[in-house]
Amino acid sequence: MTQACFDTTTTAVQRVARAQEGAATPAAQHVFTQLYADAARAAAQHCDAEAQAGRHLGVLHGVCITLKDNIDVAGETTMAGGVVCAGEAPAVHDAPVVQRLRHAGAVVLGKTTMSEFAFSGVGINPHHGTPVNPADAAHARVPGGSSSGAAVSVALGLAEVGIGTDTGGSIRIPAALCGLVGYKSTQARIPCTGVMELSRTLDTVGSITRSVRACLAVDAVMSQQALPTEAANLRGLRFAVPQTLMMDDVDATVAHAFARTLRHIAEAGAQVVEIPFKALDDIAPLSMPGGFSPIEGYAAHHARLARGAHQIDPRVVARMMLGKGISAQDYLELHNRRKAWIVAAQQTLHGFDAMLCPTVPMVAPLTEPLLKDDEVFFKVNRLLLRNPSAINYMDGCAWSLPCHVAGELPVGLMVSSLAGQDAHLARVALGLENLIYSLHA
């Protein structure tokens, strides 16, 4: 039993009209940095006219999508959730991923809010406001970041796909906190050309949707390398559950949902094996003195910091300044240490079909305490990034699948593997999604 991939019950024009009406409601406040109202209607009309004529534009024919604010659209200055970029030269071309999405028939609704320069897992933005997580009607909770608006645009039903980026979990974190599916591929699968850089070593483009199959359809377009769409039989698969780091400080809701999900996976005939993964404790010390994101982020944005640091989120400035003054020797040593670490990770995970852990160790935190207190913000940010960023460090591939039940705040199950294992992991994710969906339907 699987969920439908995309809506086929309404026309593209109807979907765009519904999305634009929804974007004007209080629930969608701060989701978009800009809406392409006229362009989206025109694209939808073209899709419907082609369908009437019996022509199919591609696998995303008429599918409404949103773009994270750090992705180039021709004729516009790419702002990446900030204001300091105002006045910079506009993009000459759509980013390659945008070109491919449009060519496959996608209708672009607009650009979505994000943590400035993609440098936070929380999703707070002091310039454009912070989208409210739709999972809790009673309390204002963060959506997760940095692809905050991308996730909320899907969670609210405005778009079927939110295109985001993932440097240390920026797709999987908001997917987990908003109860959606997020996919981070091996980095080399999808071009990052035309996407404002945070860390060229770690940046990845991906999507947030409501199903694994929808993510796979989008990935096939953006990567031009289709992955399998046949679900793996879980019986006999071997899953590693690391006991190092990734289960630390897990809150009660996440712990309960994760344990319940592991029990169901084992009952389906898979082997669930708890393993030590000592190398996970080594990532932080190996990343000294700055880590790739501060060093490469400072290199990418140093001119903006020099001319307008006062216009940039102070929390982003503080993290980027950690990369100032790092020597070429220290930077190259970071790469050498990472390469050796990846070899150790490959040895640890050899013989397993995937690694399982909570995507993040907590449900969506309340927004107000994070706005008020830097210490609380940075503590929560570190915890949100901790598990997913380990997969970026190994250049792995990973999914976040919702594994909560009705009445619980969303909890994500992260299903991950090594670099280049995207095809096998896609089949595993489909199998796990089928299991979870059948249990909760």
Side-chain angles (χ1 to χ4, degrees):
M1 183 178 183
T2 58
Q3 297 161 302
C5 192
F6 296 116
D7 178 16
T8 57
T9 63
T10 56
T11 66
V13 168
Q14 289 171 330
R15 291 193 290 274
V16 167
R18 183 178 62 202
Q20 292 179 347
E21 289 171 5
T25 63
Q29 188 177 22
H30 310 310
V31 170
F32 291 94
T33 57
Q34 60 178 311
L35 282 165
Y36 301 138
D38 294 339
R41 279 194 295 269
Q45 289 166 355
H46 175 66
C47 286
D48 289 344
E50 290 294 287
Q52 284 285 336
R55 293 186 290 269
H56 190 64
L57 296 177
V59 297
L60 301 180
H61 185 120
V63 174
C64 291
I65 71 169
T66 58
L67 302 175
K68 192 173 179 178
D69 199 43
N70 59 347
I71 300 173
D72 283 357
V73 169
E76 299 177 1
T77 297
T78 302
M79 302 297 290
V83 294
V84 72
C85 299
E88 294 181 10
V92 176
H93 306 287
D94 285 348
V97 291
V98 178
Q99 295 175 15
R100 293 173 183 182
L101 291 162
R102 292 192 200 273
H103 184 72
V107 175
V108 181
L109 295 174
K111 282 192 170 180
T112 51
T113 304
M114 56 183 282
S115 307
E116 189 169 9
F117 296 150
F119 212 173
S120 158
V122 177
I124 286 173
N125 187 298
H127 309 296
H128 303 287
T130 301
V132 175
N133 191 323
D136 187 350
H139 306 90
R141 296 180 182 271
V142 296
S146 61
S147 307
S148 52
V152 178
S153 73
V154 176
L156 289 174
L158 309 179
E160 292 187 85
V161 178
I163 303 299
T165 59
D166 191 310
T167 303
S170 287
I171 284 171
R172 289 159 290 154
I173 295 167
L177 296 186
C178 293
L180 301 166
V181 174
Y183 173 45
K184 173 247 180 298
S185 68
T186 301
Q187 187 190 41
R189 278 187 61 79
I190 298 172
C192 286
T193 306
V195 178
M196 188 177 289
E197 182 177 330
L198 173 59
S199 169
R200 65 181 58 187
T201 298
L202 304 173
D203 292 346
T204 314
V205 180
S207 62
I208 299 170
T209 70
R210 290 190 176 276
S211 72
V212 172
R213 290 188 185 279
C215 273
L216 289 175
V218 177
D219 173 82
V221 170
M222 293 197 297
S223 69
Q224 300 187 334
Q225 306 170 61
L227 293 171
T229 56
E230 304 83 28
N233 185 337
L234 300 184
R235 183 167 298 279
L237 296 187
R238 299 185 74 236
F239 293 107
V241 180
Q243 299 304 291
T244 308
L245 191 70
M246 290 189 168
M247 296 304 298
D248 294 350
D249 301 311
V250 173
D251 75 23
T253 301
V254 173
H256 180 69
F258 183 63
R260 178 183 60 224
T261 303
L262 292 186
R263 185 173 66 252
H264 291 316
I265 292 170
E267 289 170 353
Q271 297 179 51
V272 178
V273 184
E274 294 183 350
I275 64 165
F277 195 162
K278 299 298 184 184
L280 292 172
D281 274 336
D282 297 333
I283 294 175
L286 289 175
S287 297
M288 297 299 288
F292 291 109
S293 292
I295 295 170
E296 295 174 340
Y298 180 81
H301 297 287
H302 68 91
R304 297 182 179 105
L305 288 163
R307 75 167 188 265
H310 63 285
Q311 295 179 281
I312 302 172
D313 182 350
R315 292 166 171 174
V316 171
V317 172
R319 294 185 71 199
M320 280 196 173
M321 292 305 291
L322 296 173
K324 183 179 182 180
I326 302 300
S327 69
Q329 178 182 345
D330 286 338
Y331 176 64
L332 293 177
E333 273 301 308
L334 280 179
H335 280 284
N336 292 337
R337 293 198 294 267
R338 182 191 185 217
K339 288 178 183 177
W341 185 92
I342 290 174
V343 172
Q346 290 170 338
Q347 293 170 347
T348 299
L349 295 178
H350 178 74
F352 289 101
D353 291 281
M355 182 170 70
L356 305 178
C357 68
T359 306
V360 293
M362 65 183 74
V363 296
L366 295 171
T367 303
E368 193 62 27
L370 303 181
L371 292 172
K372 290 181 175 179
D373 191 319
D374 279 0
E375 184 177 349
V376 173
F377 172 88
F378 283 115
K379 179 182 178 181
V380 168
N381 188 54
R382 284 192 297 271
L383 282 171
L384 289 174
L385 290 165
R386 186 194 66 200
N387 290 6
S389 66
I391 311 306
N392 297 75
Y393 194 76
M394 72 169 69
D395 188 23
C397 46
W399 294 81
S400 183
L401 308 179
C403 65
H404 57 288
V405 298
E408 294 177 343
L409 286 171
V411 175
L413 170 70
M414 187 163 71
V415 187
S416 57
S417 192
L418 300 165
Q421 297 300 307
D422 300 77
H424 182 62
L425 195 68
R427 298 184 66 248
V428 171
L430 285 163
L432 290 170
E433 180 185 52
N434 287 348
L435 173 67
I436 295 168
Y437 185 63
S438 68
L439 292 167
H440 300 166

